[in-house]
Amino acid sequence: MWPLKTFQRKWRSYRHRFLPWVVFNLSKNEKTLRHVTERSEDSLISAEQITQSLLKFFIVLLKGYNGEHRTSKVKELLGHNEMYQTLGFCIDRRPSTLPFAGTGVFVVKGVIPKGSVVAMYPGTVYQPYDPILLQSIRNPFIFRCIDGVLIDGSDKGMSKMVFKSCSGRDRLGPLVTSDTSWLTASPRNPLAVGQYVNNCSNTKPANVCYQEYDVPDTFPIELWRFLPNVNFSQDARRPLRCVVLVSFRDIAEGEELFSNYYTIVH
């Protein structure tokens, strides 16, 4: 049994990403919500804009990808350099400015323009009918999409094993169809840190929001190696669900990223 102080510390960190905690505290924290009248209005940019942004970056990543002889740290450094050269900014994980929130994500170089794809939420994608109970226990990184699809963004324990297993299962011969490097401390795709973006608070307003994105059939197969998501069910007939974070406004160098949830107004 955890001592009371240890439990309180862990809970304060956990609650910043735990959807039910947000739901039960809406009345106390209205500034964390973005109100929309229809679900379609939750999109700040079009799916085509997301596709073009990812293609632009992934093509540069692919050119710099040079087999397995480079260390993961070197690949991470190359990824950050390519991110800055291509997108004009670079993000990375650092201790959050929110008390007890643990890790956060910061703009470490450059400026993020309004309406930009800032990060991706990595993890295993579960359809509403897929089993996820065991993976969800003490897991603060379960993201729920509008249609009930879940994304497990934990990079530890059973969640890590499930992702690696599904990724290996879906390989097409020599072609890798998902990125497992986000499970390490040195992700090759530096966008794949969205699970560490903390929810905003009354004192830390949101500057990014979540937007669901289904990967189109036309997305080049050779670039799937940089997508940090994989379907849990091999027979999933729906497009691969990804979630990106999009900037509300220009975000300056040194700022921490804070997200919010939306609520439907009828």
Side-chain angles (χ1 to χ4, degrees), residues 14 18 126 131-143 150 152 154 158-159:
Y14 185 84
F18 187 47
Y126 292 83
I132 193 177
L133 176 60
L134 293 179
Q135 298 92 309
S136 68
I137 295 174
R138 294 177 58 188
N139 183 352
F141 295 104
I142 303 292
F143 183 94
L150 301 174
D152 180 4
S154 174
M158 182 180 291
S159 299

Side-chain angles (χ1 to χ4, degrees), residues 189-202:
N189 173 6
L191 288 174
V193 293
Q195 78 277 36
Y196 284 105
V197 174
N198 284 301
N199 296 333
C200 64
S201 68
N202 286 328

Side-chain angles (χ1 to χ4, degrees), residues 8-252:
Q8 289 175 333
R9 176 174 54 81
K10 288 183 176 292
W11 169 245
R12 285 166 183 159
S13 175
Y14 185 84
R15 72 187 187 187
H16 286 289
R17 300 188 182 91
F18 187 47
L19 181 57
W21 182 87
V22 176
V23 171
F24 286 125
N25 286 272
L26 295 184
S27 60
K28 300 178 182 178
N29 207 14
E30 282 291 330
K31 291 183 181 179
T32 66
L33 292 175
R34 183 159 58 92
H35 297 275
V36 297
T37 56
E38 297 180 9
R39 292 183 177 184
S40 60
E41 294 181 8
D42 189 50
S43 298
L44 288 183
I45 60 177
S46 69
E48 178 60 24
Q49 286 175 287
I50 296 174
T51 298
Q52 292 306 314
S53 180
L54 295 181
L55 286 176
K56 177 182 178 181
F57 183 42
F58 288 0
I59 288 172
V60 174
L61 282 180
L62 185 64
K63 290 179 180 178
Y65 190 87
N66 191 16
E68 298 298 326
H69 67 277
R70 286 179 173 171
T71 66
S72 59
K73 189 62 180 178
V74 169
K75 289 180 180 180
E76 180 194 18
L77 292 173
L78 286 172
H80 281 95
N81 183 56
E82 291 154 352
M83 184 182 197
Y84 180 69
Q85 291 181 348
T86 307
L87 304 179
F89 63 87
C90 189
I91 60 172
D92 204 358
R93 290 172 286 188
R94 292 181 177 176
S96 176
T97 57
L98 279 175
F100 308 106
T103 302
V105 179
F106 291 77
V107 184
V108 296
K109 190 175 183 180
V111 175
I112 299 177
K114 178 181 177 180
S116 299
V117 175
V118 177
M120 303 183 71
Y121 198 99
T124 306
V125 180
Y126 292 83
Q127 301 302 319
Y129 51 79
D130 288 330
I132 193 177
L133 176 60
L134 293 179
Q135 298 92 309
S136 68
I137 295 174
R138 294 177 58 188
N139 183 352
F141 295 104
I142 303 292
F143 183 94
R144 186 182 188 280
C145 297
I146 295 172
D147 57 2
V149 170
L150 301 174
I151 301 180
D152 180 4
S154 174
D155 54 14
K156 297 178 175 62
M158 182 180 291
S159 299
K160 180 177 182 177
M161 291 188 292
V162 169
F163 189 95
K164 293 181 72 173
S165 175
C166 293
S167 178
R169 175 201 66 197
D170 291 347
R171 286 181 67 116
L172 297 175
L175 285 178
V176 179
T177 57
S178 58
D179 178 21
T180 60
S181 69
W182 71 272
L183 296 166
T184 72
S186 304
R188 179 67 179 92
N189 173 6
L191 288 174
V193 293
Q195 78 277 36
Y196 284 105
V197 174
N198 284 301
N199 296 333
C200 64
S201 68
N202 286 328
T203 58
K204 301 284 187 177
N207 48 26
V208 298
C209 71
Y210 299 105
Q211 184 167 329
E212 297 169 23
Y213 168 70
D214 289 336
V215 180
D217 293 337
T218 55
F219 203 88
I221 189 64
E222 65 271 18
L223 299 180
W224 279 62
R225 67 168 65 234
F226 301 117
L227 291 174
N229 298 95
V230 66
N231 281 315
F232 176 78
S233 296
Q234 189 174 22
D235 61 349
R237 299 177 181 177
R238 301 173 62 172
L240 178 67
R241 173 65 51 82
C242 292
V243 170
V244 300
L245 288 95
V246 180
S247 53
F248 275 131
R249 59 170 175 81
D250 292 351
I251 307 174

